[in-house]
Every structure is written in structure tokens, then in C-alpha cells.
Amino acid sequence: MPLTLSPPRLLLLLRRRQAKVQEPRSTARPCRGARLSCAPDEVAATDAEQQQGEEEEELVLLASYRTAFNEVIMVIDSPSNRYLVLDPTRNVHSILPKKSAWTNSYWDECVSLPTVVPRGPVALLGLGAGTAAHMMLEVWPWIQLIGWEIDPTVIELSRDYFGMSTLEKTTELGGSLSVHIGDALSPSATVEGGFAGIVVDLFADGKVLPQLQEAETWLEIAKKLMPDGRIMVNCGAGDTAISLAADADVSSWVQNPTIKALCSAFPGQLNWKRLSEKESVNYVALTGPLPDLEEWSTSVPSELSLRVKQWVPCELA
């Protein structure tokens, strides 16, 4: 779920500010007066960026909790966005934009998936506060989304603060989000006939789940697809720090262990891209043959038309 920001402007602000704490609403145990902070090595900002951060809008802590699944859960509000921040790394797992329809990060990529898969239900494995669901239903109000989230408190807060309850209501065109609380990798996380698409966004303690770095896991997930279905994956950041010049190389995906596992599971049937530095440092992957990029470009909202052309096949050396 987490977004690795570059520069991590939100994390920079979290280091500096004592947020205003309002009364949390949950049966979980609240962390009163929690200070927003992050480890120094999570922030790499220049002096100019730090000066810009001081001028950023005020952040308000709306809720802070600890559960059996997440040592830290925070809902943070600002005039432009609302954030779900999880685990001690203070990674952003969901964003609800207030001034734009787009996040300028990997969640936007999910909106392009329905145009390259058959009509049918789409699974969201790692629902968080429903950023991808919000965006997909806004653009494709007919789509049937089925999401899995392991922490019931995250779902409760998402309904209270991120408008998830609205997504659970059927639209005029028949679309909706169905929420399941449980293990997204469980064999029971499936539907009869299979999914047209599966979006995988599963992290813990700021890292991709270790199971997702094994080819066998991906082969099991693929069994839940209908014919011609695809999996879209937030693969997180690379394994090591590399320059932008090196990262632009066609083989830079080898820096990401999740993509390596996917490429092993689906040889010749995997595509990848790395989001630009100003958006994040996340890699994303898409199974199946590379779509016709020109056709794909014309089938998505104009904001994504150039971005879908950045997908390239994952080729083993």
C-alpha cells in the first residue's frame, strides 16, 4: 500500500510538526497525542525543499490508533488531501485528494486497467482507505470492485474519514465496491468465474510482503483470473539506490525483487514501468502481453494517455 514519495514532502512535514489531535472514533485503542515523525533516513530533501516544506499547508491529525495488524494508524488531514499513514515507517497508504481527481502516483495507473481486461469484477488486494476504488469508480461507474483489507480498524476509519461507505453503494450504472475483511492472499479471496483484473498493493512495515517476492505466490494469484485477465501490481521501490540515469535503463527492473519474481512467474508475459521522480519512486507491473499502446492511450482519460505509453516488456537478460 505505501507510496514512496520523492521528495517525501509529507514525511518531511511529519518530522517537523506537532499535529492537532481530535477525538478518535473507534473501538480500537487510541494513541493519544501521538507525535508525527519519521526516521531521518526516510527523508532526503535539499535545503530548498526544506524551506518549501516550511511553507506547506497545515496538517491535522484526525485519528491515531494501534491494532494487532498495524502498530501505527493515522488519519492526517490537510486543505488539499487526506492521508492514511500506517506502520512505524509512517508510509502513506492511501490519499483522498480534495482539489484534483488525480494523485500523481501509482493509484492513477489503476484507472487504466479496465480498458485492457475483459468486462468483469476487479479485485483490490490491499484496499487501504480505497484510493484506487475511488478513482476507478469515478472514471468507470459501471465497474464491480471487490476489495480485501486485513485490518478492520482501517476499514472503519475509511468509512468514517475517506468516504468508503459511498463507494459501497451501487451507482446508477451498477458499479460498487464490496469490502471483505481478511487475508487478501487466502484461497477464499476469489469469485466464481474469476476476476477480470486484480490490483495487488500489499505491504507491511513499509515493505512489499515477502510472499510477493516468490514466483509461486503469483502463480496462485493468477489462478483467480478469468481468461485474458491481468494483474496490476504496486511493486514498491527498488532494492538499492540508483541514479535516475541508470533507472531509465530498460533493465532497471532488476533492482526490484517483486518484479523479478513476477518475471520468473510469467516469462514473456510481464510489463513494467517506473513512475517519474516527481511522482514517486515506485515500480508498477502488469501481466499479460503488452497492450497496443496507441489503442490503450485513446481508451483512457486524457490525463493518462501519455502515461500508458511508458509501459515496456520485462525482458530477461
Side-chain angles (χ1 to χ4, degrees):
M1 284 177 276
L3 164 68
T4 307
L5 297 172
S6 178
R9 191 169 297 164
L10 175 65
L11 295 181
L12 178 64
L13 290 172
L14 297 188
R15 269 184 94 190
R16 295 198 182 100
R17 300 195 177 183
Q18 175 69 49
K20 302 173 184 177
V21 181
Q22 298 181 6
E23 185 70 18
R25 293 185 291 169
S26 177
T27 57
R29 182 161 65 97
C31 305
R32 303 291 184 180
R35 181 173 181 79
L36 304 183
S37 62
C38 66
D41 60 358
E42 291 173 350
V43 177
T46 64
D47 291 340
E49 289 165 351
Q50 291 176 354
Q51 184 176 4
Q52 181 181 11
E54 295 290 355
E55 300 171 356
E56 289 283 351
E57 55 199 4
E58 183 178 22
L59 301 177
V60 177
L61 180 61
L62 301 182
S64 181
Y65 294 88
R66 179 183 295 115
T67 71
F69 298 101
N70 289 288
E71 184 177 343
V72 173
I73 303 176
M74 295 190 292
V75 178
I76 300 170
D77 199 40
S78 78
S80 59
N81 296 292
R82 183 164 290 179
Y83 304 94
L84 175 69
V85 175
L86 298 182
D87 61 59
T89 62
R90 270 61 170 179
N91 276 310
V92 177
H93 284 237
S94 295
I95 295 177
L96 182 64
K98 299 179 181 180
K99 298 181 179 180
S100 170
W102 304 95
T103 66
N104 293 320
S105 189
Y106 70 87
W107 293 288
D108 298 352
E109 306 297 329
C110 300
V111 177
S112 65
L113 180 62
T115 63
V116 292
V117 298
R119 278 286 186 119
V122 172
L124 303 176
L125 306 186
L127 182 59
T131 301
H134 271 285
M135 301 182 70
M136 295 174 79
L137 279 165
E138 179 67 25
V139 177
W140 316 111
W142 47 264
I143 197 166
Q144 293 282 343
L145 300 175
I146 306 176
W148 274 265
E149 169 58 48
I150 199 167
D151 193 334
T153 299
V154 168
I155 295 301
E156 180 180 347
L157 292 172
S158 300
R159 288 168 174 157
D160 284 348
Y161 293 104
F162 291 87
M164 185 174 284
S165 296
T166 300
L167 304 181
E168 295 175 272
K169 299 176 182 178
T170 303
T171 69
E172 293 182 358
L173 295 181
S176 67
L177 169 66
S178 175
V179 176
H180 295 259
I181 297 174
D183 183 359
L185 296 180
S186 168
S188 63
T190 188
V191 293
E192 185 176 356
F195 295 109
I198 299 175
V199 176
V200 180
D201 193 10
L202 295 171
F203 287 71
D205 296 324
K207 300 178 181 178
V208 175
L209 294 186
Q211 302 96 303
L212 300 184
Q213 298 176 18
E214 301 174 2
E216 294 77 9
T217 300
W218 292 109
L219 294 174
E220 289 300 313
I221 293 175
K223 292 177 182 178
K224 301 178 180 183
L225 290 170
M226 64 174 60
D228 298 321
R230 295 177 184 263
I231 306 170
M232 182 174 281
V233 189
N234 173 22
C235 301
D239 218 7
T240 59
I242 52 178
S243 70
L244 285 177
D247 203 45
D249 186 79
V250 294
S251 62
S252 72
W253 59 265
V254 298
Q255 300 291 340
N256 188 284
T258 304
I259 295 184
K260 287 195 288 187
L262 282 158
C263 200
S264 176
F266 310 112
Q269 295 287 304
L270 187 74
N271 313 285
W272 73 281
K273 63 183 291 190
R274 180 193 183 278
L275 303 187
S276 65
E277 187 189 24
K278 67 180 181 180
E279 295 168 338
S280 72
V281 295
N282 293 60
Y283 289 79
V284 288
L286 177 71
T287 64
L290 183 68
D292 183 307
L293 298 184
E294 290 298 329
E295 290 185 5
W296 197 7
S297 177
T298 61
S299 66
V300 297
S302 59
E303 292 85 354
L304 300 178
S305 60
L306 292 179
R307 293 172 64 167
V308 298
K309 293 183 178 181
Q310 297 169 354
W311 287 95
V312 294
C314 178
E315 298 177 353
L316 290 169

